[in-house]
Amino acid sequence: MKRLAATVLSILFLAFSALPVAVAQAQEQPRLRVDLDQLNPRVITTGSTSITVTGRVTNIGDRPISKLGVRLQLGTRLQSDQQIGDVLAGGKFKDLSATEFVDLEPDTLEAGQSATLDLAVPLGPSSKLQFPKAGVYPLLVNVNGTPDFGGPERLAAISLLMPVLGVPGKAPSSRPPAVPSAPSASLLWPIANSTVHVVSSPLGGPLTLADERLADELAAGGRLDSLVAAARAAEADTKVSSSLCLAIDPDLVATVDGMTRGYQVATGGGPVPGKGVETAKNWLGQLKALVAGRCVVTLPFADADLAALTKVRAGDATDTALLSAALGGATTIKNLLGIQPQDGVLWPGGVLDSQTLEAIGKAGVKTVLTDSGRLQSGSPVSGGVSIEGTDLRAQPIDTLISSALNGSGSTQNGLGAIAFRAGLGGQNEEQERSRLLIAPPRHWAATGPELTSFLGRMGDFYGAGLVKPAPLPELLGQGPSGTASVNYAPQDLTAATSGDVTAKMSQIDNETLGLSSAMTMDATKRVNPADVIAPVRLALIRAASTSWRGADATIATGNARGDLDAIRSQVTVERPKQTIALASGASPLPVFITNSLPVGVAVQVALKNNVGLRPTDETQLQAQMVPANSARNRLLPVEALRAGRFSVDVALTTPDGTPLGSAARFELTSTEYGAITIIITVTAAGALLLLSSRRIYRKIKDARTDRANETAPRVTEDAQV
C-alpha cells in the first residue's frame, strides 16, 4: 500500500512539475506577426510633428484573436552597447512614455487573416511621446489581443532604435551643434548572391541554373535591382556617393554575364530555356554604370568560406589552386565591369584561422575587412590594426552597427546604431569611434524603399555634421593604430563549413587532379586542359559558399560531382551491340574508345569480372593517348580460360587510376580453349598420370614384398637351440 501511494505521489509530482513548462511553451508560440511598411520620420528633429507607422498584423496562430489594439511605447535614452544589444534582441526596457491603444480593424482575426496597422502620433510639448533630449531611444510597436480560451496579452511587438537629433517643438537652436570630433564613416554596399544558383557551366556548353530566383532578384523591384537602384539614386548626394564602396561577388557578375548569352533552368522534366536574358542584360548595364569611377572591393568567389578551401588540400600546403581561384575575382570584375577593384583588399566571410590568414597573405591579400568583435587587442580597437604574426592589416567593421542592420527593422536600427556611435549616446570610451566602417549583411534583403530611405538618412547625418563622409581608400590609407589577433566565438566555429563537406570536396578534388594530369593540349583544338577542368574547380568553391551553411554535404558538393562526372563521361568505351564470338582461344578483344573532349586524354584499359578471360599481353592495357574529339579501336590480346558463354566488364581509367566514363559489359562466347590453356591442361594431365602411375607402382611393389614374407621358412627358438 505504501509503495502504491509513493508511486501515485511521484506521478502527481511529475505532472505538476511539467505543467508550468508546458504552459510556458504554449505561451512562447507566436500568434501574431507584425510587418511594417512605413515608419516616418526615421530621425526625430526639432521640426518633426508626428510619428506615422503603417503595416499589417497577421494571425499566424491556430485560433481566432479579438480585441486587437496597437500602441507605441518609448523607452529611456540608451547609453551603452549592452543596452543597444538588448533592444536589438527584443529585450524588455523601461517605459518612458506610451500612447493609448488604438483598435485595429477588423477587431477579430481568424487564423491566417490580416488587419491594417495605421497609427499616427502627434509630437510636441503635449504629445504622449516625450523625448527629453537628443539621443537614441528604443521605440516599441506593441500589439495586444485576446486569443480564444485566453486573456488579453501582448501578442506581437517590434523594437526599433529611434535617433533623436533635436526635441520636437523646441527652437532649432536646442539641437546640439555638429561635434568637431565627429567620426568619419565609410559604407560598404554588398552586391552578392543570396545563394548558389549555378548547377553547371561546362566549357562550350550552356549555363544551367537551379531555378529563376536570380532572374527575379535582377528584375525591377527585386533584391539585386533594389541594391543597384538605391545606390544610383544616392549619386545625387556627393557626400553619400563618396563614402560608398561597392562590395561585389565575382561569381554573381560572371553568372549574370552568362545569362545574357542565354541559359537553361533545371526542372524535373529536364532543362528548359531561361526567361531572364533581357533582365540580366539590363541589370548588368545598370551595374556597369554604377561602378564607373567608384570604389569597389571584392568578395571571395561565391562568398566562399576560405578556411574550408584551405582544408581541401591540407596535405599539400604548396597547392593553393582553389584558394587562388576564390581570391582571383578582381580579374573577373575588371574584365566584365571595366573597373579595377581596390588592390589586395578583401571582405571575407567565415572563419579566418591562422592557416587561412597565412594562405591569403601569400595569395596577395594585404587588407582584410572584418568585424571589430573578432579583433582582440590590449587596447580598444578604433581603426586599422596589424594582425599579429602576419603582414596583413585588419580594418574593423563596426559589429554593433552590423548587428543592427541585420534582422527585422534593419535599416531603422542601423540608423539608430550609427547615430549612437556618432555620439548621441553620450561620449564615453566604449562608444567613441574616430573611424566607422559600416557593413550591412552580405546578402542584404531590405526592400527598395528601405534602402533608398537608409541612404537618404545617411545624407542627413552627413549634412548635420553627425558623421563625416570618408572614402574607403582614405580609411585604409591611415597607418595601423596597433596590433590585434583574430578570434572567433563558438557560434562562428559552429557555423563554419562542416568536415563532411570538406571531406567530400577533397575526394572530388583528388579525382579532378587525376583527370587533369591525364589531359594534354591537342595541337589542332588548342584548348587548355585547365579550361576544361575550370567548371569543376568553380563548383568546388561554390560548395564552400557561406550560403550552404548547415546543408547536407552531398547536396553542397552535388554540383561539383555532377560537373566532374559530366567530363569523365565523355571518355567512354562503347558497349558491343551483340555477343562477341572469339574465333579461337587466343583471339583479340576489340575495344572501341571515344574521346569527345577537346583535349587529348591518356586512357588505360582495365578488365573487371573477367573470370573466363585473361589478357596475354599486359602492355596492351597500359595508357595510350586518345586525341581530342576522336575514337580509337584497340585490339586486346586475350585468352579464353573456358569454353561457353560468359561476360567481362571493360573500364577506362587515367594512368593514376581515376575512373573515366562507365564500365561496358562485353558478352563473349568461346568454343575452344587457348593454346596456353591447353598446354597447361595437358601438362596437368601428364603430371596427374605420372603421379597415379607412381602410386600404382608402389602399391604393386608393396604387395609383392608382403607375399614374399609370407612364404619364407620360419625358424623357431627350439630349432635354434
Side-chain angles (χ1 to χ4, degrees), residues 620-694:
Q620 295 300 314
L621 299 178
Q622 295 177 0
Q624 295 184 19
M625 184 62 62
V626 180
N629 300 121
S630 65
R632 288 290 185 271
N633 192 25
R634 294 179 62 177
L635 299 176
L636 303 181
V638 294
E639 177 188 6
L641 301 179
R642 60 185 174 86
R645 187 184 181 93
F646 54 95
S647 63
V648 63
D649 293 333
V650 179
L652 303 179
T653 70
T654 64
D656 72 345
T658 301
L660 295 169
S662 56
R665 174 151 294 185
F666 283 47
E667 298 294 337
L668 308 175
T669 181
S670 176
T671 57
E672 57 177 297
Y673 297 111
I676 295 177
T677 304
I678 294 174
I679 293 172
I680 293 174
T681 304
V682 171
T683 302
L688 180 61
L689 179 60
L690 181 62
L691 291 174
S692 299
S693 300
R694 185 170 179 274

Side-chain angles (χ1 to χ4, degrees), residues 318-563:
T318 62
D319 192 343
T320 59
L322 284 179
L323 186 67
S324 297
L327 298 178
T331 302
T332 299
I333 292 173
K334 182 179 179 180
N335 291 341
L336 298 181
L337 298 181
I339 186 73
Q340 178 64 52
Q342 295 293 306
D343 182 40
V345 180
L346 181 71
W347 182 19
V351 174
L352 294 179
D353 53 25
S354 58
Q355 180 183 357
T356 307
L357 287 171
E358 180 182 2
I360 65 175
K362 292 179 179 178
V365 175
K366 302 171 185 176
T367 300
V368 174
L369 312 179
T370 188
D371 287 347
S372 58
R374 293 172 176 172
L375 297 174
Q376 188 172 29
S377 177
S379 58
V381 177
S382 60
V385 294
S386 298
I387 300 178
E388 294 177 356
T390 74
D391 295 327
L392 294 171
R393 169 196 172 100
Q395 188 67 40
I397 295 170
D398 193 284
T399 301
L400 182 72
I401 299 176
S402 293
S403 299
L405 286 168
N406 199 358
S408 177
S410 62
T411 58
Q412 179 61 31
N413 289 334
L415 292 170
I418 293 169
F420 179 81
R421 276 283 182 256
L424 286 188
Q427 296 294 333
N428 59 49
E429 184 177 339
E430 181 184 18
Q431 297 162 358
E432 281 187 345
R433 295 290 188 276
S434 61
R435 296 179 288 273
L436 294 177
L437 180 54
I438 301 167
R442 306 161 78 81
H443 311 138
W444 210 8
T447 64
E450 286 290 307
L451 297 173
T452 302
S453 176
F454 175 76
L455 291 179
R457 302 296 72 74
M458 283 297 300
D460 294 341
F461 285 172
Y462 293 144
L466 195 64
V467 288
K468 297 179 295 187
L472 181 63
E474 178 183 307
L475 203 65
L476 300 179
Q478 299 172 347
S481 59
T483 61
S485 59
V486 181
N487 293 280
Y488 288 85
Q491 58 267 28
D492 294 320
L493 300 174
T494 301
T497 305
S498 70
D500 290 341
V501 173
T502 55
K504 285 188 177 295
M505 289 173 63
S506 295
Q507 180 184 356
I508 296 171
D509 186 56
N510 288 335
E511 295 177 24
T512 304
L513 288 173
L515 179 57
S516 177
S517 65
M519 293 180 174
T520 59
M521 181 181 290
D522 188 88
T524 58
K525 300 297 181 181
R526 306 298 298 171
V527 174
N528 192 328
D531 294 336
V532 179
I533 294 298
V536 184
R537 302 262 192 239
L538 297 181
L540 280 173
I541 296 172
R542 293 187 186 103
S545 172
T546 57
S547 65
W548 281 117
R549 284 174 175 170
D552 180 80
T554 302
I555 295 175
T557 60
N559 293 338
R561 169 59 66 187
D563 281 345

Side-chain angles (χ1 to χ4, degrees), residues 19-102:
L19 184 59
V21 176
V23 172
Q25 290 175 342
Q27 292 175 342
E28 290 174 1
Q29 298 298 320
R31 299 192 183 281
L32 292 178
R33 185 185 70 242
V34 179
D35 299 299
L36 297 186
D37 295 331
Q38 184 180 23
L39 172 66
N40 187 39
R42 298 303 183 93
V43 178
I44 302 295
T45 66
T46 56
S48 300
T49 58
S50 66
I51 293 181
T52 301
V53 180
T54 62
R56 297 175 310 284
V57 176
T58 304
N59 182 354
I60 58 174
D62 57 358
R63 66 184 67 177
I65 300 174
S66 59
K67 300 180 181 178
L68 291 165
V70 60
R71 73 173 180 178
L72 298 183
Q73 296 172 211
L74 184 67
T76 56
R77 186 170 178 264
L78 301 171
Q79 301 185 61
S80 70
D81 285 21
Q82 181 63 51
Q83 290 177 347
I84 293 281
D86 289 344
V87 173
L88 296 177
K92 294 182 179 180
F93 53 80
K94 182 179 179 181
D95 284 351
L96 180 64
S97 58
T99 67
E100 300 294 335
F101 277 103
V102 175

